Amino acid sequence: MINITKNFKFEGTLINTFRYGQGHINETHVVVYKLDNFKYRRYLLQKINSNVFKDVEGLMKNIKRVTEFAHQSIINEGGNPFTESLTLIPTIDNKDYYVTSNNEYWRAYIFVEEGLGYEMVNDNELFYQSGIAFGKFQKLLSNFDANTLSEPIKDFHHTKVRLDHLKEAIKNNIAKRLDFVKDEIEFYLNRYEYASKITTLLESGKMPYRVTHNDTKLNNVLINPITKKAQCVIDLDTIMKGSIIYDFGDSIRFGANDNLEDEKDLTKVNFNIEKYKTFSLGFINEVKSVLHPLEIENMAFGAILMTYECGMRFLTDYLNGDTYFRTKYPDQNLDRTRTQMKLVVDMEKALPQMNEIITNIINK
Ligand code: ADP
Ligand code: GN1
Ligand code: MG
């Protein structure tokens, strides 16, 4: 680790490093430095997953631009950009990331001490605040021309392409797990109509593309446990052109669950409509002035779509031998698939109510 840290402009003397967070993609570390005045400073050091992100240069350019833009807008509003936004720490030769001789890509951020990434919330206020934060972030991104941002992962939320990936994984059966997941496969193939509903609207020009975050799960917004306010939106790797219903839907997928994404006991996994309502209030009130009628009409469906898509991605990775998402035990991707299936079934039943909640917020 010392070989990596010495390449960044960190202040003080390195005294400790440890792995951090529950992200599924990057390898995240905290590095602790002692300053001359006997105080300590922590930084967040990440090995970027270059198996997932093939164009690290383009990705880091996106992050640099978005964080600089966020800083300016926070300053304009009288806030503190270093605690309310991510801030990259440059390398000693003033680059945004460091590449090792064996092609590992590393970047560093100021550690935001004021906020925590939650895996689950039972305090509705926290989820409400995350809705406000992602809604505000969406507005910030509306100032970016999508064509000036690179696309870090092609077809990231193109669910039809994701379905094709699943079919490919079924055909190849690389991990020889096909026989264990017949029901799961049937579940996803039966619901194929979900896959192209939104992309058809986007591609025909009927529904607007926007620049979106695309990975708006609860642990990607740091929340201040004392003030209970959202502190900082993080994990900016997937910012690119998309639909606002993806950002809404992915937050619901993860946060409106009564339990964890990999809970084994499915009786404990439920779509919680109160949590849904809470998040919707925060998010929709921030963005409602710009929403297109088709976005309003499909917002609630977005939660089903993102949950369907994410479960399908977990299943695909399970069939491929767990090469994409970070796993801690052999069947974790299968457990994740099953929670997402249960949530889809719950949401299918609740859809009329979910739509009504959105309409009520819009009309208020
Ligand atoms: P991944 O893409 O693997 O999800 P993230 O960028 O989301 O990686 O980081 C993983 C976790 O590390 C986050 O969920 C959050 O808990 C924590 N984290 C990330 N950036 C910071 C930061 N600047 N300050 C404090 N915690 C952070
Ligand atoms: C990954 O990076 P992380 O853990 O915040 C994934 C998301 C999935 C999520 C499922 C780049 O998010 O798309 O929805 O896991 N990120 C990427 O928990 O694939
Ligand atoms: Mg993350």
Side-chain angles (χ1 to χ4, degrees), residues 2-34:
I2 190 107
N3 285 338
I4 309 296
T5 53
K6 69 177 194 219
N7 289 288
F8 286 90
K9 286 187 178 168
F10 294 144
E11 232 183 291
T13 314
L14 179 66
I15 57 161
N16 194 12
T17 71
F18 53 91
R19 284 292 293 271
Y20 191 73
Q22 302 296 325
H24 295 346
I25 302 297
N26 297 305
E27 186 185 303
T28 304
H29 302 255
V30 169
V31 293
V32 188
Y33 281 74
K34 192 169 182 191

Side-chain angles (χ1 to χ4, degrees), residues 23 215 217 219-220 235:
D215 190 1
K217 65 188 206 188
N219 66 12
N220 286 333
D235 204 343

Side-chain angles (χ1 to χ4, degrees), residues 108-125:
Y109 291 114
I110 288 182
F111 188 89
V112 178
E113 301 282 354
E114 294 74 6
L116 284 175
Y118 287 81
E119 294 307 308
M120 196 172 89
V121 277
N122 287 318
D123 180 341
N124 276 357
E125 180 60 21

Side-chain angles (χ1 to χ4, degrees), residues 130-189:
S130 81
I132 296 178
F134 281 126
K136 285 205 168 118
F137 198 73
Q138 171 61 230
K139 280 200 278 194
L140 179 84
L141 294 176
S142 68
N143 294 305
F144 273 89
D145 175 358
N147 301 317
T148 67
L149 287 167
S150 70
E151 193 182 7
I153 301 178
K154 200 170 157 6
D155 298 321
F156 190 60
H157 284 315
H158 199 301
T159 316
K160 171 75 174 56
V161 171
R162 296 292 187 179
L163 186 59
D164 291 343
H165 292 170
L166 173 63
K167 289 178 183 166
E168 188 74 17
I170 295 169
K171 201 170 76 197
N172 296 335
N173 190 17
I174 291 173
K176 303 274 173 277
R177 287 167 159 174
L178 194 58
D179 289 343
F180 312 129
V181 291
K182 293 278 187 239
D183 291 350
E184 288 77 7
I185 288 172
E186 200 188 326
F187 180 96
Y188 285 104
L189 297 186

Side-chain angles (χ1 to χ4, degrees), residues 78-136:
N80 179 349
F82 302 109
T83 62
E84 294 172 37
S85 161
L86 284 178
T87 311
L88 284 166
I89 304 280
T91 63
I92 46 176
D93 45 7
N94 283 321
K95 301 254 166 51
D96 298 326
Y97 60 97
Y98 172 71
V99 192
T100 66
S101 53
N102 53 346
N103 277 329
E104 289 180 1
Y105 293 79
W106 291 82
R107 70 175 163 220
Y109 291 114
I110 288 182
F111 188 89
V112 178
E113 301 282 354
E114 294 74 6
L116 284 175
Y118 287 81
E119 294 307 308
M120 196 172 89
V121 277
N122 287 318
D123 180 341
N124 276 357
E125 180 60 21
L126 298 187
F127 198 34
Y128 172 68
Q129 293 295 335
S130 81
I132 296 178
F134 281 126
K136 285 205 168 118

